[in-house]
Amino acid sequence: AQSVTQPDIHITVSEGASLELRCNYSYGATPYLFWYVQSPGQGLQLLLKYFSGDTLVQGIKGFEAEFKRSQSSFNLRKPSVHWSDAAEYFCAVSTSGTYKYIFGTGTRLKVLA
Amino acid sequence: DGGITQSPKYLFRKEGQNVTLSCEQNLNHDAMYWYRQDPGQGLRLIYYSQIVNDFQKGDIAEGYSVSREKKESFPLTVTSAQKNPTAFYLCASNGDSYSNQPQHFGDGTRLSIL
């Protein structure tokens, strides 16, 4: 079955530290991959997307993600976290020719001052 | 600015009552979606619509109904048959259902039981 796994439910980092949020997917076809961020009581905002080409993609707010087909992963990274990055982060997967997006269960990020 | 507007932000339902959540978009998108979000469960698809006057059930459609009479609007009704309606509801849209464009989201409606 198609699935998206975000193994870390909660992550806490200090402000200025680096961040990596993990995302693993199980999909038969070539995946289209997305990372979204959600602040409390708000909708989801797109951070970045991967469709094809360069496996390292840059997004908004200084985030980047790397697609590794051999590991079925699409991990989100940021070199230096800011207090305003505290939020919940969702990985999502789709595949060509389908309406369906599968979302992970999210990783809640806490940033220590 | 183009976007998706959901209203109300908070909604309370009494036993046996149907309630309707509004979703309006001015992005000129053909496809619209309704998701339910519960803590620790990510987003689950309730209904989606690819075009006006057409919609399909998602993974958890029981107890919900929708309509798509206008391109801009995709209201969701939570019926009395939905026994556990307390959740955060998100509306989304994208250009079309099959081009894998990123979905744009509204700010959600939180539904609670009185």
Side-chain angles (χ1 to χ4, degrees), chain A residues 32 34 36 38 41-46 49 51 88 90 94-101 103-106, chain B residues 9 33 35 37 40-43 45 48 57 59 88 90 94 97-103 105-108:
Chain A
Y32 295 80
F34 310 87
Y36 288 86
Q38 184 182 34
Q42 301 293 315
L44 276 67
Q45 180 184 19
L46 179 71
K49 63 183 185 288
F51 280 9
E88 190 155 22
F90 292 91
S94 181
T95 192
S96 179
T98 178
Y99 68 90
K100 197 168 180 71
Y101 290 69
F103 288 83
T105 52
Chain B
K9 192 167 180 65
Y33 310 78
Y35 291 94
Q37 185 178 23
Q41 293 194 44
L43 278 67
L45 183 65
Y48 73 101
K57 293 181 179 180
D59 299 319
F88 192 55
L90 287 163
N94 63 1
S97 299
Y98 293 88
S99 66
N100 303 108
Q101 297 173 26
Q103 294 183 356
F105 286 83
D107 282 341

Side-chain angles (χ1 to χ4, degrees), chain A residues 9 36-39 86-90 105-109, chain B residues 37 40:
Chain A
I9 299 174
Y36 288 86
V37 60
Q38 184 182 34
S39 297
E88 190 155 22
Y89 291 80
F90 292 91
T105 52
T107 297
R108 186 170 297 278
L109 173 66
Chain B
Q37 185 178 23

